Amino acid sequence: MKVRMGEIGDMVAEMSAAELEREIASPDKLRIWEGTAGWRNLQVAWAPFDTVENTARIAIFGVTPGREQMGNALRAYHKARLCGSDHLAAVRYGKGTGAFSGEMRDTLIRLLDEVSIPRLLGANSSLALWGAQAKQVHFSSVLRWPVFCDQKDKHKILQPLQNYTGGTPSITAQRIFIGMLKNVLVPEILSLPGDCLIAPLGSAAQKAMTYALSGFSGFDRKRLLIGLPHPSGAARDVSSQFLGDPPSHTRTKPLNPAYREDAMRLRRQVEGLIRADQRPTCLASDTSLNMQRQI
């Protein structure tokens, strides 16, 4: 597939509010790819998450924007275009509004605070990453655009085109996903500053990031912050254990001390950078690689 961002953005700008809501609920004009994986239908839709923050000191990657984040970003983009902003300015506004929006943002702020990210960036709280410190963070996903996938609920009833979580089908086994990882994610990472920390959230994003970077032997692994949970509601118990919250009286599974150990290890890693007053080095960006949109 080929994503012509300016053209699709102009199309969004011309939509009515009602038409935009229909597209968020069930992408048609915004659908940029569709296919199958076994019995599952897969769909990729466009949303304004395309900019790269080239002054970032940390890049935070989820799996893929969910429908809530897609909707928040598109509404903000649409509003900005109606107010006269050009495509790029509207994308920046839409992405800033939609990135890790909803309840997960509060959890993500707590996770980043727990491992001393504000101290690294000279901020009081990770909340500043959506405000005064926005130039120091790059928000993204290993699959940049929203991906939806058929799922079955606990009663084995088909739920069509739900948010893809990165587990089934495997994020490293589908041709469309591999193309997005190699042709979109890798150039994106190489376009970031050489000292920018890379923080994939949750096991699926970490698996995808490791797979995508596997061919770059010179990549400095000190850049990677491996072990941060995904802040989604589905991983709430993992985040709670990572943060050291008191166990809920409703939990049924035993505590896993590895989650809290991950938090302590990542805090030591970040505080080591702070004490050394230096940033990790990495493989210089390959200027021969551009931001392809071919998959």
Side-chain angles (χ1 to χ4, degrees):
M1 69 182 175
K2 187 173 184 179
V3 182
R4 301 183 185 277
M5 294 177 292
E7 291 180 11
I8 200 168
D10 289 344
M11 182 174 60
V12 171
E14 295 173 357
M15 290 181 182
S16 67
E19 185 178 6
L20 182 63
E21 291 302 321
R22 288 194 294 270
E23 284 291 323
I24 292 168
S26 181
D28 179 18
K29 293 180 180 179
L30 295 182
R31 187 171 61 242
I32 55 180
W33 182 87
E34 61 183 337
T36 60
W39 57 267
R40 303 171 189 271
N41 291 310
L42 292 174
Q43 187 179 95
V44 182
W46 182 82
F49 292 101
D50 300 294
T51 56
V52 176
E53 189 54 67
N54 58 18
T55 60
R57 292 190 63 192
I58 183 169
I60 300 170
F61 289 84
V63 176
T64 183
R67 201 176 302 275
E68 180 178 9
Q69 292 70 45
M70 172 187 175
N72 290 338
L74 280 165
R75 293 183 193 102
Y77 175 90
H78 187 254
K79 178 181 177 180
R81 289 297 300 268
L82 292 181
C83 290
S85 295
D86 63 17
H87 171 71
L88 181 58
V91 166
R92 290 187 179 279
Y93 179 62
K95 181 178 178 181
T97 302
F100 297 99
S101 55
E103 291 183 6
M104 74 167 65
R105 184 174 295 182
D106 291 338
T107 302
L108 179 55
I109 288 168
R110 291 189 66 203
L111 294 172
L112 297 175
D113 284 356
E114 184 67 19
V115 299
S116 298
I117 293 301
R119 285 188 59 211
L120 180 71
L121 304 181
N124 293 322
S125 164
S126 297
L127 177 62
L129 297 177
W130 285 268
Q133 302 290 331
K135 290 291 185 181
Q136 296 203 66
V137 63
H138 173 60
F139 292 116
S140 193
S141 302
V142 291
L143 302 178
R144 177 182 294 178
W145 302 293
V147 177
F148 304 106
C149 176
D150 287 352
Q151 299 176 15
K152 290 182 180 179
D153 63 19
K154 62 181 180 180
H155 304 296
K156 306 300 182 182
I157 298 174
L158 179 66
Q159 302 296 325
L161 297 175
Q162 302 297 300
N163 291 338
Y164 174 62
T165 62
T168 305
S170 172
I171 199 168
T172 57
Q174 298 299 311
R175 184 176 180 181
I176 179 63
F177 297 158
I178 292 171
M180 292 174 75
L181 295 176
K182 294 296 186 180
N183 299 328
V184 180
L185 177 63
V186 169
E188 179 178 348
I189 291 173
L190 294 179
S191 71
L192 290 165
D195 54 5
C196 180
L197 296 176
I198 308 297
L201 303 175
S203 59
Q206 291 158 19
K207 176 182 178 180
M209 185 70 68
T210 301
Y211 175 87
L213 295 174
S214 60
F216 295 89
S217 58
F219 189 87
D220 189 347
R221 301 295 161 174
K222 293 178 183 178
R223 293 183 69 189
L224 291 171
L225 297 181
I226 297 295
L228 281 164
H230 196 281
S232 69
R236 185 176 290 112
D237 188 55
V238 175
S239 295
S240 179
Q241 293 185 62
F242 182 94
L243 292 165
D245 291 341
S248 169
H249 68 279
T250 60
R251 78 180 324 274
T252 57
K253 296 181 180 179
L255 293 172
N256 185 343
Y259 297 135
R260 188 61 184 158
E261 290 167 6
D262 280 342
M264 297 297 98
R265 173 181 54 79
L266 287 170
R267 184 186 295 176
R268 290 192 297 270
Q269 182 179 347
V270 173
E271 291 183 348
L273 294 172
I274 296 169
R275 286 193 302 270
D277 193 28
Q278 64 183 14
R279 306 176 188 176
T281 57
C282 72
L283 181 69
S285 297
D286 185 348
T287 56
S288 67
L289 286 174
N290 56 30
M291 296 296 289
Q292 299 178 58
R293 294 296 182 268
Q294 297 276 354
I295 298 178

